[in-house]
Structure formats: C-alpha cells, structure tokens
C-alpha cells in the first residue's frame, strides 16, 4: 500500500507539471481559450489598478486630476496586447476652452484608445451601474466621472444641465459615447442626443472621434483576440455657438453622418490591409 501511495504522489506531481504545459498549449493553439485569457487579464488589470490607485486618489478627494492616474494605469495595456495605436488629428484637441468629445463605442477595449487621446481636465459620462462595481466604481467616482441613469429621462436631463454649468465654471471637458451601448457592427447605431444637448447648453464645441474597427484582431462574437493596429481619428471641431435646443436633432445627425463616413472609409482600408 505504501508503494501504491508513492505511485499516486508521483502521478499527482506529473499531472501538476502537465497542467501549466496544457494551459500554455491551449493558449497558443486554441483561439477561444486565448481570447478568454486575454479578456480575463484585461479585467483583472483594471480591477487591480482601481484597487491600488483608489487610496492615492482618495488622499486628493474627488477630482478630475485623478483621471491622470487612471490613464497612466491603462496606457501600458497596449504593449501587453501588441496593439499599435495610430492617432490622427490629436492637435485639434489642443485648445484651452471646454468641449465635448463624442466617440464610437465598440468594446471595453475602447478604454485603451481613450487613454491615448483623453486630454487633461476631461471626464467621461458613464452609466450609473458602474458605480456599484466595487473598487472600479469607487475609482471612477474619485476621478470625477459623471454618472447618468439611462433609464430615467428626468434624471439624465438634470445631470446634463449640471454638467453644462460645471463645464463653463471649471473649464471641464467631457467625453461621451453617443451610441449609448457597445456596437461591433459595420455601421453606427443611432445617436442618443444627450451629448449634443450638453454642448448646446454649455455653448462649447464638439470634437467627433472615430476609433477604427477592431475586426482584424478583436471580436467578442468570434472569440478572437490577436495583435493588430488601431487608428484613432480626431475630426475638426463642430461649433455650437448660437445654436438652441431646436437645432439639436440636426446637429446630432450631422455629427453622426461625419463619423459614419470616416468609419466606412476606415473599414474599407482595413479590408484592404
């Protein structure tokens, strides 16, 4: 029986040694396993960054300055994933006044693109649900992010009015995903008008930003996550000076069309790569 138990121990050790090898082989040769590993690493990185940075951010209290900490934590991710970021037109954002950035929304990976271009004194408007995600919600709150309840119109309108006031007062820039939800399709979803109401109320310009499609290296539908190149294009500013709420529907459509045209052009280039 002693011999039997020794055999069991040897077998167990053998299996434990084989386990990392099996994981490595799966990671190397199984695209779905590879995808889930990379997504898990992404989520763990965000969670760890939020947990480690929150105490430092808390020392300063709730402040848009804490966005710099979050940005610094997200920037290295592109190296881990071998994603090359090409930014075009970032000079458009070099103005001193407040403004609204509107950007297309494909996946959590947009965070990496956002870290590339987000200027100082800029906070995203995010869904209220994010507040309840433990240390991630806490880090978002400490960074001055603006939370919006997408299911309560009254609530959302109030948030927009308050934000318009603080934009002028604190020289704040705001980033919004006007599609309102993730979209990996070839065309853009209809835009929600909140971002445009905000820009008109605050009488500040809008900068449309288009992130090229991720298809060639990332797809949550096909469980694909390899390395690749991503292009981020900042379009020239759209003025809202002198516009009133009745101009918002047309403004929304004009900006959406300009962004959709750029996305179509980028998609064509991607297919040609």
């Amino acid at each position: 029986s002693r011999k039997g138990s020794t055999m069991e121990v040897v077998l167990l050790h053998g299996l434990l040694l084989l386990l990392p090898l099996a994981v490595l082989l799966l990671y190397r040769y199984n695209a779905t396993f590879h995808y889930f590993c990379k997504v898990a690493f992404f989520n763990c990185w965000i969670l760890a960054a939020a947990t480690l940075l929150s105490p430092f951010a808390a020392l300063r209290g709730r402040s848009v300055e804490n966005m710099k900490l979050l940005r610094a934590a997200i920037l290295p991710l592109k190296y881990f994933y071998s994603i090359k970021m090409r930014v075009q037109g970032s000079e458009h954002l070099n103005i001193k006044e407040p403004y609204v950035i509107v950007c297309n929304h494909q996946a959590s990976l947009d965070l990496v693109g956002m870290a590339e271009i987000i200027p100082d004194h800029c906070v995203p408007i995010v869904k209220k649900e994010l507040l309840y995600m433990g240390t991630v919600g806490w880090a978002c709150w400490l960074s001055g992010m603006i939370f919006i309840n997408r299911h309560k119109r009254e609530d959302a309108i109030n948030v927009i009015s308050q934000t318009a006031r603080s934009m002028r007062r604190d020289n704040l820039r705001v980033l919004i995903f006007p599609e309102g939800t993730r979209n990996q399709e070839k065309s853009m979803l209809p835009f929600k008008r909140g971002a445009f109401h905000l820009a008109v109320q605050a009488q500040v310009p809008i900068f449309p930003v288009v992130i090229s499609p991720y298809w060639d290296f990332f797809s949550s539908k096909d469980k694909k996550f390899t390395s690749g190149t991503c292009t981020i294009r900042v379009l020239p500013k759209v003025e809202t000076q002198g516009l009133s709420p009745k101009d918002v529907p047309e403004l929304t459509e004009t900006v959406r069309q300009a962004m959709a045209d750029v996305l179509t052009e980028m998609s064509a280039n991607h297919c040609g790569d």
Side-chain angles (χ1 to χ4, degrees), residues 218-238:
F218 175 87
S219 164
S220 53
K221 205 160 61 187
D222 304 330
K223 305 288 173 270
K224 174 172 84 170
F225 201 160
T226 58
S227 55
T229 302
C230 174
T231 305
I232 303 166
R233 192 181 302 175
V234 182
L235 308 187
K237 71 174 170 183
V238 178

Side-chain angles (χ1 to χ4, degrees), residues 93-95 97-101 119 167 172-174 204-205 207:
L93 298 176
N94 295 341
I95 59 168
E97 59 188 291
Y99 48 78
V100 173
I101 297 174
M167 281 185 85
L172 188 69
R173 288 86 184 256
V174 175
V204 297
F207 284 98

Side-chain angles (χ1 to χ4, degrees), residues 40-241:
F41 178 80
F42 185 89
N43 292 329
C44 290
W45 181 276
I46 299 295
L47 183 64
T51 308
L52 292 170
L53 292 175
S54 288
F56 295 104
L59 292 172
R60 190 188 266 148
R62 187 175 193 209
S63 162
V64 60
E65 288 301 311
N66 287 327
M67 276 298 297
K68 288 178 182 168
L69 293 174
L70 278 189
R71 182 173 176 258
I74 293 167
L75 275 172
L77 277 170
K78 62 179 175 189
Y79 301 113
F80 288 116
Y81 291 123
S82 304
I83 297 169
K84 222 168 108 193
M85 291 284 177
R86 284 196 303 223
V87 181
Q88 302 166 345
S90 57
E91 67 280 355
H92 290 309
L93 298 176
N94 295 341
I95 59 168
K96 295 278 180 276
E97 59 188 291
Y99 48 78
V100 173
I101 297 174
V102 291
C103 184
N104 58 321
H105 191 18
Q106 300 178 70
S108 305
L109 211 54
D110 294 341
L111 282 179
V112 182
M114 215 172 80
E116 286 293 309
I117 59 140
I118 200 163
D120 286 349
H121 270 273
C122 182
V123 290
I125 287 189
V126 293
K127 55 184 180 185
K128 203 165 192 168
E129 290 88 337
L130 211 60
L131 250 183
Y132 312 113
M133 285 177 64
T135 50
V136 173
W138 177 226
C140 290
W141 185 83
L142 283 168
S143 304
M145 288 190 196
I146 298 158
F147 298 92
I148 202 158
N149 186 338
R150 297 177 302 174
H151 311 295
K152 281 203 180 144
R153 192 175 152 75
E154 202 69 14
D155 222 41
I157 291 170
N158 283 338
V159 170
I160 293 289
S161 304
Q162 281 167 18
T163 307
R165 284 196 292 275
S166 57
M167 281 185 85
R168 304 282 341 165
R169 192 182 61 231
D170 309 325
N171 192 23
L172 188 69
R173 288 86 184 256
V174 175
L175 183 141
I176 307 181
F177 295 112
E179 287 173 288
T181 186
R182 296 171 192 180
N183 168 35
Q184 287 181 18
E185 298 308 312
K186 288 190 164 85
S187 60
M188 285 191 195
L189 297 173
F191 280 4
K192 297 196 177 334
R193 290 180 185 161
F196 305 92
H197 274 295
L198 174 61
V200 167
Q201 267 187 46
Q203 292 285 288
V204 297
I206 296 167
F207 284 98
V209 171
V210 185
I211 302 177
S212 65
Y214 300 145
W215 315 315
D216 52 351
F217 64 91
F218 175 87
S219 164
S220 53
K221 205 160 61 187
D222 304 330
K223 305 288 173 270
K224 174 172 84 170
F225 201 160
T226 58
S227 55
T229 302
C230 174
T231 305
I232 303 166
R233 192 181 302 175
V234 182
L235 308 187
K237 71 174 170 183
V238 178
E239 285 293 358
T240 64
Q241 210 80 45

